[in-house]
Amino acid sequence: MEENLRQRVGLPKRLATGGAQIQPAAHTDSEGITVLTVSRQDVEKGRLENYLREFNKYEKKRLRGKVTLIFDGYEQDPREIYQIREITHWVDRLLKNVPYLFYFLSRENYSMRIAFFCLSEVVGRSGAEVSITKEQGRRLIEKVAKSAVVYARKLKESEEVQLALAEGILDELGYGQTLH
């Protein structure tokens, strides 16, 4: 990882790992995934309180990379989750209240990507491919990765864990695609 990117996502200078490859924690198996089901009614009414309490529990349990968000009640809606304005507003408010949200989000079931697209300005879509502007995507990925890393540091997680967390978020959200 280049040094100025390391700084932008809040990582320490260089790790003394002797060049060892560290796998992101998000690559663990799907066991232990916590599903947080968000009801349509709560989304439409803008209710966050119960979910914020859940994240307080997740903080105590340190559920890094183990939370999947499911939006219930939208099964018949033909739009993608990130195209539903009420959901995008709800996720935006959640991120404002839990700025280190991506510390918790799982890579399973595309939970991290869905939350990311809810926070992004999607400019196009072709099949499963979603397009956002590269500059906006790069800034948002750096922001959510940095918040997650700062939170991991606050929890006194090792530099290796911080690096793996940052790399997992950058990889899952397609940071490399925003550079070209």
Side-chain angles (χ1 to χ4, degrees):
M1 184 181 292
E2 69 178 62
E3 192 56 39
N4 80 11
L5 174 58
R6 294 174 67 84
Q7 291 172 356
R8 286 195 309 271
V9 298
L11 288 169
K13 293 276 185 207
R14 285 272 171 223
L15 294 174
T17 60
Q21 284 290 77
I22 301 167
Q23 291 299 316
H27 282 297
T28 57
D29 62 23
S30 61
E31 289 182 33
I33 296 295
T34 297
V35 176
L36 180 60
T37 303
V38 182
S39 76
R40 184 174 188 150
Q41 185 177 23
D42 285 348
V43 167
E44 290 174 352
K45 300 244 189 243
R47 292 187 199 127
L48 272 180
E49 302 79 21
N50 292 335
Y51 304 99
L52 295 177
R53 276 195 288 277
E54 288 300 311
F55 276 97
N56 283 335
K57 292 176 190 172
Y58 302 161
E59 289 178 27
K60 289 176 180 66
K61 295 179 183 177
R62 294 192 179 199
L63 294 181
R64 177 175 27 90
K66 295 288 187 186
V67 177
T68 295
L69 293 174
I70 302 289
F71 293 93
D72 190 36
Y74 293 91
E75 298 78 14
Q76 303 306 316
D77 195 311
R79 298 172 292 176
E80 296 293 332
I81 292 296
Y82 60 82
Q83 294 174 315
I84 301 171
R85 186 163 306 287
E86 296 84 9
I87 292 177
T88 63
H89 286 306
W90 191 91
V91 172
D92 187 55
R93 286 185 56 228
L94 179 63
L95 183 67
K96 282 180 173 73
N97 284 275
V98 186
Y100 38 86
L101 174 65
F102 284 75
Y103 171 90
F104 296 106
L105 292 180
S106 168
R107 293 172 72 171
E108 303 290 322
N109 304 319
Y110 302 104
S111 192
M112 190 182 289
R113 283 188 189 188
I114 291 168
F116 174 71
F117 289 134
C118 284
L119 297 164
S120 303
E121 186 177 322
V122 176
V123 294
R125 187 172 142 222
S126 175
E129 292 292 312
V130 177
S131 300
I132 61 173
T133 62
K134 288 183 181 186
E135 182 62 30
Q136 188 233 5
R138 183 171 45 253
R139 282 194 315 265
L140 182 56
I141 294 168
E142 287 174 4
K143 175 186 169 185
V144 299
K146 182 175 184 174
S147 294
V149 167
V150 167
Y151 182 70
R153 186 177 315 119
K154 179 182 157 193
L155 296 177
K156 299 188 181 347
E157 296 207 22
S158 71
E159 290 181 359
E160 289 83 4
V161 167
Q162 293 173 40
L163 176 62
L165 176 65
E167 287 179 341
I169 292 170
L170 295 174
D171 180 54
E172 180 66 14
L173 300 181
Y175 186 78
Q177 296 170 358
T178 69
L179 302 175
H180 309 291

